[in-house]
Amino acid sequence: MIRFLLKGILRDKSRSILPIAVVAIGVALTVVLSAYMKGAFGDMIDQNARFETGHVKIMSRSYAENKDQLPNDLALLGVEALKNTLDTEYPQMEWESRIKFGGLIDVPDEEGISKGQGPAAGIAINLLDENSKEAQRMNIETSLVQGKMPKKSGEAIIGHDFYEKLDLKIGDVFTFFGTTMEGSMTFKNYQVCGTIRFGAGAMDRGILIIDIKDAQEMLDMEDGTGEIVGFSKLNVYDDQETQIMAAEFNARFMDDQDEFSPIMMPLRAQNNLGEMLDYSNFMSGIFIFIFVFAMSIVLWNTGLLGGLRRYQEFGIRLALGESKGHIYRALIFEAILIGLIGSIVGTCIGLAGAYYLQIVGIDASEYLENSSMLMPSVLRAKVLPYMFFIGFIPGLIATVIGTMLSGIGIYKRETARLFKELEV
Amino acid sequence: MNQETIIKINNLTKRFPVGEGEFTALKNINLEFFKGEFSGLVGPSGSGKTTLLNIIGSLDSPTEGEAIVLGKQISKLSHKESALLRNKHIGFIFQVYNLLPVYTVFENVEFALLLQNIPSEKRKKMVNDALEWVGLSSMANKKPDKLSGGEGQRVAIARAMVKNPEIIIADEPSANLDAANAHAILKTMKQMNKELGTTFIFSTHDEKVMGYLDRIIHLRDGMVEEDEIINVNHAP
Ligand SMILES: Nc1ncnc2c1ncn2[C@@H]1O[C@H](COP(=O)(O)OP(=O)(O)OP(=O)(O)O)[C@@H](O)[C@H]1O
Ligand SMILES: [Mg+2]
């Protein structure tokens, strides 16, 4: 009997090729889009974590409130002690100080007269400590366009476009003018050791990267920092865990009376990333739901049309003594088979597409040039193990539900009426 | 002569809902069919022939009264039981021969046996025998769309007889055939009737068919107008 049904499916293209194609296309779309959504959102979150928010970030309360203004006058103090505490309390995390600062770069000519100037967005990170992963975390080495990494105090990396605009050369010295923590003017000479381009609009504008110690010295922030970022040593962001950690830390160390007391913020609480996280989870969920729903309707209709076309066949089969239940089960069997084949084909196509998008990605830099959001400029898909079967669930369920719905027509009709179609 | 009752119809009335009201297609029918009969329902269009055949074939059930086929009361059968009755004991031949288009001649004939879970070797033999009966052994692997009308109707006969049913119901089997083909299939069926003892019930307008029948039941407006026995030597 099964062989008999298989023959029917194989020989009747409208019973096989068409629905298989519909299922395969739907499944492929689901796989590609969920991989892409996962990848793009994941990259976005990851990029934000690495460059900006950490998995958690500690600032002074008032710094946190004004952090868009880079208020280094509100910086955290007593950093050594705080980091020691953090290391013992949260050994699963790595803690690093970062200072963001603004100022002006001035490039002198041979006579010492300014030949070029520009506003700089400075970031100071732990570059010179061999144990620090900060450079790697921020992809600095791989993003270098010219030159090499700083090896000693006084060396700086500068944004490549900025570097060209200022007409600098590797090894040239420039002067940075800024404001100390106390608000007095400060300046320091740096030697350009490398140029960088992250490929993210927001990051690349006027960027200046120096070692944290240089910055602390220059800005009178010994034992102070704008922020301390924490990363899980496994480098996996755990939404739940970081929230608990932050709540616990704040309960212990935050002082409502002291605006300079530290506050820990999980990634979720920064830069609207919480909304983004929720949105991405919500979207993946909704997407799969909508897919199942839409596919069910499409397949229901394909099933209905196929069913109408097949009423004559059902009539004959009834007359030959097949029961309605048997016909219905045979239809479901066909649906499972078609759903399965369609899902396999679709998953293969979808995974191939997703892998392609994982390797190649879609370059969105054009759209992101002027965006202030921290986003990778090439959005890549991410293929995860669950995507090998995610398409099967909707592909199979939708096909079977569609068939079940359309097949009910067989039961609804009187045997004689189904049979009557024969007389036409 | 020992006449075994195979179908008994008592006070059968069939009404169809039509719009708000009802249409009475069969009125108070009383009939008895015997094993081995080669009988036919004859009457103008709309007189209720198909309706009555459908009830006998358990594709439909009476509104009032009863139809007892092979000892089973049609109105009391479940979906499953009526399917089983059709599958094992009743063969159908229709006006349009209605073969399943994606299957070969062999597979079309085989289908009813598949439903009965008959093992493949035995099935093969039965199908080949049936095809031989109707003279289509050479066409076994052809698809229905490659057959002529007469050949198609012969496949339908083979399909009805392959399971060796007690009853074959043939609703205007010759309507789409030319005279030569009509005679050919009727001869085949008459031969089956003689050799296998299969009971045949036809519905027809066709004079050619009537010439073969040994009992003609005239229907008019859903009622039996005349029950005409032509040849009492129908018993096997
Ligand atoms: N399902 C139905 N619903 C409503 N009316 C029906 C239905 N089936 C049959 N009828 C009516 O019952 C009457 C008898 O129909 P039936 O098909 O039995 O006639 P028939 O003798 O087979 O005619 P023909 O020679 O044209 O095949 C017709 O008037 C037909 O319109
Ligand atoms: Mg009729």
Side-chain angles (χ1 to χ4, degrees), chain A residues 1 4 7-8 11-12 15 312-313 316-324 326 415-416 419 422-423, chain B residues 50 54 59-60 79 83 86-87 92 94 96 98-100 102-104 107 111 114-115 143 159 163:
Chain A
M1 195 70 208
F4 188 83
K7 277 184 205 159
R11 290 182 197 162
D12 187 352
R15 226 187 280 176
Q312 161 153 342
E313 176 197 335
I316 298 170
R317 285 164 64 170
L318 282 172
L320 289 174
E322 188 169 359
S323 67
K324 284 183 175 180
H326 197 276
T415 306
F419 182 70
L422 287 177
E423 290 185 20
Chain B
T50 298
N54 281 351
L59 287 168
D60 210 344
H79 277 317
R86 288 195 295 276
N87 184 215
F92 289 88
F94 310 108
V96 233
N98 276 305
L99 304 174
L100 300 172
V102 297
Y103 296 104
T104 63
E107 287 159 352
F111 183 73
L114 280 171
L115 292 173
K143 291 277 179 62
R159 182 179 64 185
K163 55 198 180 184

Side-chain angles (χ1 to χ4, degrees), chain A residues 417 420, chain B residues 16-18 23 25 44-51 172 205:
Chain A
R417 286 221 43 84
K420 263 259 187 294
Chain B
F16 290 111
V18 179
F23 175 81
S45 189
S47 57
K49 304 183 294 293
T50 298
T51 305
E172 316 210 22
H205 305 279

